Amino acid sequence: MKLLALLSLLILMLQEAGTAPLSKEERGEEQPYGEGDSYAILHLGDYVLSLDNYEEVIDPSNYDELTDYGDQLPQVKGTSLASLTRTRFTQSTEAARTLPSNPTTARPPTLGLLAAPANHGLPTCLICVCLGSSVYCDDADLENIPPLPQTTAYLYARFNRISHIRAGDFKGLTKLKRIDLSGNSISSIDDKALRLLPALRDLILSENKLVALPALPTSIEVLDVRMNRLQSSGIQPEAFRALEKLQFLYLADNLLDAIPWPLPLSLRSLHLQNNMIETMQRDAFCDTEEHRYTRRQLEDIRLDGNPINLSRFPSAYFCLPRLPTGRFV
């Protein structure tokens, strides 16, 4: 009986052990969140995130801190993306420089609107401003006329340091209508520099250091050589006779001692003020012998600022629509 009772007790103990519920750890279930230590510490890989340091790890108001993951990411050997990009760009640039050039496929340099080398070693239209057929080179520190596009019709190169105009500076510029070189240091112009410009109408050379005029194209209509050092000996005899389209001739503030002669009938305005003129020829404006013409267009003659007494030459004005401006006493 005792043996039977002992076996029955043993069987009951084994049954209780087999039917006992497993713990949540044994079943793999997560423990419920509560206010205890189980919620206070969460394990994220090798990084420990707790309620105490949550704000230090991630601050949504700080963009830089959002990208700083601390020890969560493994250490990466190398540099930042920007540094890597610069490194690759540098390597590619150096590699391109070391590539052998192929003379058969290289593009030859071209001269034109954007590729004409100027004094500075740069294309003309990078130093100057090219708008259509106009080229603006004002105050560009130029010492010479830069190579110009073949389509140039208007050139403005004022207030530079140009001292000499060479024979080939305007070669082939058949469309050039206006040249304005005011405020330079031009002391000489090659005779061939302007003569072969068939479309040139306006030549502005005021405020330079010219002592003589070059040969001019017959198409010229406006010639402005004010405020130079021009002398009467620097104007060739009958230099203006062939300029049948010349309308405005400005020679004020120079060193002239005589009125240029003969003047074309097309002339409308003649400025000779502030020179050294003391006398004039009787036929400076009119044909006193044959009275062949009347200068109805020449209404603006300025001789003020000269030592000449205009009242001494009354026969020189009978063909004019009005008397010159100047001293009559």
Side-chain angles (χ1 to χ4, degrees), residues 178-179 189 194 200-206 210 213-217 220-226 230 235 239-240 243 245-252 267 269-271:
R178 182 182 180 91
I179 298 175
I189 301 175
L194 304 171
L200 187 63
R201 298 182 310 196
D202 302 341
L203 180 59
I204 315 299
L205 298 170
S206 58
L210 286 171
L213 288 180
L216 299 170
I220 201 80
E221 296 179 9
V222 178
L223 177 60
D224 187 351
V225 203
R226 292 173 296 122
L230 191 62
I235 300 177
F240 301 114
L243 305 184
K245 296 181 179 181
L246 183 62
Q247 300 182 44
F248 302 93
L249 179 57
Y250 302 130
L251 301 172
L267 200 61
S269 181
L270 174 64
H271 285 190

Side-chain angles (χ1 to χ4, degrees), residues 38 276 297:
S38 60
M276 303 173 62
Q297 297 186 74

